Amino acid sequence: MGTICSPVPSGTKTSSDVCNADWMASLPPHLHNVPLSNLAIPGSHDSFSYWVDEKSPVGPDQTRAVMRLARISLVKKLMKKWSVTQNLTFREQLDAGIRYFDLRVSSKPGDTDQEIYFIHGLFGIKVWDGLMEIDSFLTQHPREIVFLDFNHFYAMDEAHHKYLVHRMQEAFGNKLCSACNVESLTLQILWEKKCQVLIFYHCPFYKQYPFLWPGKKIPAPWANTTSVRKLILFLETTLSERAPRGSFHVSQAILTPRAKTIARGLVGGLKNTLVHR
């Protein structure tokens, strides 16, 4: 799928930055008409969780037991160590070449408006702020395509969904790609239509809007293991079993902590326990 250059230290501008930020535009011509589902697209897990607010309420994605414990300020500090799964902002991820984003969203208890936030245990930034950051990048890089996978929704009624979808329309406008036959979608076709955003919406609400792709069009099987060996076997198996046509496919190359994993590495956090080992 072409060369993706290695990231460079923060604050440094070199030709590598340009290569990462425009890798789709830089692909050789013979790949421009290959179905997008046949290209390997770099992605990130819990893409928004580079920042979470330990001063906000615990998210509705957590159990009541965790919510009760979180009344103790120290608990939220520890939760933050296990909720943050990225160290790059949306813009930095895009500049590094990431094009698939795994997104979980929620309303915030007690809010009188319909604002929606990213969430992973604790609340992150407003979804609107993230969408605007992505749109700014896409405007500057008109041949790059992104996949936004909204796969978990918490504390959201129909009014919240409508608000969120309208914000998507407001942010991306004509950049949105309507759902269509997966095999018919190529870089060349998207470039000609000036479409840059595919939004997958894992909720029946997608039926009301032509630019929302059903979640079943991008299955993301989950290994749910702390074992590298089991993870690799799972990835190889699910990749070989993926549907040959009709959908994209996400390979989640991630390790998932269990309760005992968290207990053992409570203070160290996710990064030190499962990443740096």
Side-chain angles (χ1 to χ4, degrees), residues 57-63 67 79 106 109 119 121-123:
V58 172
D61 59 335
Q62 297 300 297
T63 64
M67 291 180 182
M79 282 185 68
S106 175
I119 190 168
L122 297 170
F123 286 93

Side-chain angles (χ1 to χ4, degrees), residues 49-55 74-85 120-122 269-270:
S49 64
Y50 49 85
W51 180 85
V52 292
D53 184 7
E54 62 187 73
K55 296 180 180 178
L74 176 61
V75 172
K76 284 189 181 179
K77 291 183 183 296
L78 294 175
M79 282 185 68
K80 184 174 182 178
K81 291 188 175 185
W82 288 91
S83 294
V84 173
T85 64
H120 189 222
L122 297 170
L270 178 66

Side-chain angles (χ1 to χ4, degrees), residues 42-48 86 90 93 98-103:
S44 59
H45 175 66
D46 285 323
S47 309
F48 52 86
Q86 302 296 330
F90 277 130
Q93 290 181 54
I98 297 299
R99 296 293 177 267
Y100 166 86
F101 295 90
D102 165 37
L103 307 172

Side-chain angles (χ1 to χ4, degrees), residues 9-254:
S10 179
T12 306
K13 286 289 183 180
T14 72
S15 59
S16 295
D17 291 298
V18 177
C19 180
N20 282 333
D22 290 293
W23 71 262
M24 285 181 161
S26 303
L27 288 175
H30 73 274
L31 293 178
H32 295 177
N33 291 302
V34 170
L36 205 56
S37 56
N38 289 353
L39 298 179
I41 310 292
S44 59
H45 175 66
D46 285 323
S47 309
F48 52 86
S49 64
Y50 49 85
W51 180 85
V52 292
D53 184 7
E54 62 187 73
K55 296 180 180 178
S56 72
V58 172
D61 59 335
Q62 297 300 297
T63 64
R64 290 185 178 180
V66 171
M67 291 180 182
R68 286 194 295 269
L69 282 172
R71 294 170 185 167
I72 305 170
S73 59
L74 176 61
V75 172
K76 284 189 181 179
K77 291 183 183 296
L78 294 175
M79 282 185 68
K80 184 174 182 178
K81 291 188 175 185
W82 288 91
S83 294
V84 173
T85 64
Q86 302 296 330
N87 60 5
L88 299 179
T89 66
F90 277 130
R91 179 64 194 230
E92 289 168 338
Q93 290 181 54
L94 286 160
D95 284 337
I98 297 299
R99 296 293 177 267
Y100 166 86
F101 295 90
D102 165 37
L103 307 172
R104 306 171 187 214
V105 298
S106 175
S107 66
K108 186 178 289 188
D111 270 14
T112 55
D113 56 20
Q114 295 175 329
E115 197 64 65
I116 305 298
Y117 298 80
F118 293 115
I119 190 168
H120 189 222
L122 297 170
F123 286 93
I125 66 171
K126 293 179 181 179
V127 172
W128 171 251
D129 293 337
L131 298 182
M132 292 306 294
E133 194 171 358
I134 294 170
D135 182 66
S136 174
F137 172 87
L138 294 175
T139 298
Q140 295 169 22
H141 303 271
R143 302 189 88 183
E144 299 305 299
I145 314 299
V146 297
F147 295 69
L148 305 184
D149 190 2
F150 286 83
N151 49 56
H152 286 73
F153 304 92
Y154 300 96
M156 290 178 60
D157 56 23
E158 184 174 349
H160 287 112
H161 281 286
K162 285 185 177 179
Y163 175 83
L164 175 58
V165 173
H166 290 161
R167 290 301 246 176
M168 294 174 183
Q169 288 178 298
E170 188 177 352
F172 299 121
N174 293 333
K175 293 186 180 78
L176 292 166
C177 174
S178 294
C180 61
N181 179 276
V182 170
E183 281 68 42
S184 69
L185 210 58
T186 67
L187 286 173
Q188 188 62 48
I189 287 175
L190 288 169
W191 291 340
E192 290 172 0
K193 293 182 177 181
K194 300 187 185 306
C195 292
Q196 295 178 265
V197 183
L198 280 72
I199 297 180
F200 297 85
Y201 212 75
H202 295 244
C203 169
F205 198 75
Y206 79 85
K207 298 175 183 178
Q208 300 183 31
Y209 296 88
F211 61 84
L212 294 181
W213 292 63
K216 65 182 180 181
K217 291 293 185 180
I218 193 161
W222 174 42
N224 191 18
T225 182
T226 59
S227 166
V228 174
R229 181 185 62 80
K230 290 181 180 179
L231 173 62
I232 293 173
L233 178 61
F234 178 84
L235 292 172
E236 291 174 343
T237 301
T238 52
L239 187 59
S240 66
E241 294 176 348
R242 65 170 288 191
R245 298 179 62 82
S247 69
F248 295 95
H249 176 87
V250 178
S251 289
Q252 294 199 64
I254 56 169

Side-chain angles (χ1 to χ4, degrees), residues 258-277:
R258 301 184 184 280
K260 62 181 181 181
T261 313
I262 296 174
R264 285 199 305 264
L266 187 62
V267 177
L270 178 66
K271 186 175 182 179
N272 291 324
T273 304
L274 281 184
V275 180
H276 294 164
R277 64 175 191 171

